[in-house]
Amino acid sequence: MSVPFISHLVAVLLAALALWTIRFEFGGKAATRLEWATPATFAVLAAVVLVAVSPGKRFELWAAVIVIGLLAGGTAGALKKVNQDHGRLLIRVPPAWDGCTAAALLLLLALLRFVTSSLMGRQSSGFGVLAAGATFLAAYLAARYIVVRFYKAPKSIHLDMTHGRDPHRTLAH
């Protein structure tokens, strides 16, 4: 097994973990601060692996998509209605598709890179577009988490919540 094969496999695993760990958000369930951080962490790690093994080193493209991803993710995080149980340190947003979609697209990009480069042996065109897409999605998820966790959650109203449950109350903030 070669280093690119293992790297692409690791990127797929990390992207799959990002999608798996963001499942609480799809159902609008209360999750801990650590559970909110793990999807963004796995997404960033998957993007780093894909960027590191990308044959096309396009730093200006990657820098641009990082900035755009941070802006888009920050905006998405600022628009979310957030509640927090300050005693149990649980955060909840209404059921959302954007984070799950970003994580699913990241998994799709990682699978695409794995299948085309490692299994089919196709040579990359060297533009770095796939790595740029993964970088955008990772920046989006990271910025969304940072805004929700450090800007929205501290200002949110307190609701009594149970971990992994939807309290079936309207989010007021």
Side-chain angles (χ1 to χ4, degrees):
M1 284 205 228
S2 65
V3 172
F5 179 85
I6 293 171
S7 299
H8 294 148
L9 198 57
V10 167
V12 169
L13 176 65
L14 289 168
L17 286 170
L19 182 59
W20 175 255
T21 56
I22 205 165
R23 70 189 183 283
F24 64 86
E25 192 175 307
F26 181 71
K29 297 179 177 153
T32 64
R33 292 174 179 175
L34 180 62
E35 288 172 326
W36 267 91
T38 52
T41 303
F42 285 135
V44 168
L45 290 173
V48 165
V49 169
L50 288 172
V51 165
V53 297
S54 177
K57 302 297 182 195
R58 300 277 308 260
F59 298 109
E60 67 282 352
L61 175 63
W62 296 339
V65 297
I66 287 172
V67 169
I68 295 168
L70 289 173
L71 290 172
T75 302
L79 294 175
K80 295 216 170 295
K81 294 182 178 193
V82 178
N83 284 132
Q84 178 172 323
D85 186 328
H86 296 280
R88 294 185 180 138
L89 303 177
L90 297 174
I91 300 172
R92 180 185 170 268
V93 297
W97 287 80
D98 63 324
C100 298
T101 303
L105 287 173
L106 180 64
L107 177 59
L108 181 66
L109 289 175
L111 281 169
L112 186 66
R113 173 59 67 199
F114 176 70
V115 169
T116 58
S117 295
S118 295
L119 297 182
M120 294 173 56
R122 185 185 70 78
Q123 287 296 95
S124 174
S125 59
F127 292 117
V129 175
L130 193 136
T135 303
F136 169 79
L137 295 168
Y140 177 86
L141 288 171
R144 220 171 126 261
Y145 162 71
I146 290 168
V147 169
V148 166
R149 167 63 181 88
F150 295 105
Y151 177 70
K152 294 290 281 194
K155 295 180 178 183
S156 67
I157 65 168
H158 175 81
L159 289 179
D160 292 328
M161 290 186 246
T162 305
H163 181 264
R165 295 269 171 116
D166 179 356
H168 299 293
R169 286 184 284 238
T170 304
L171 291 144
H173 192 285

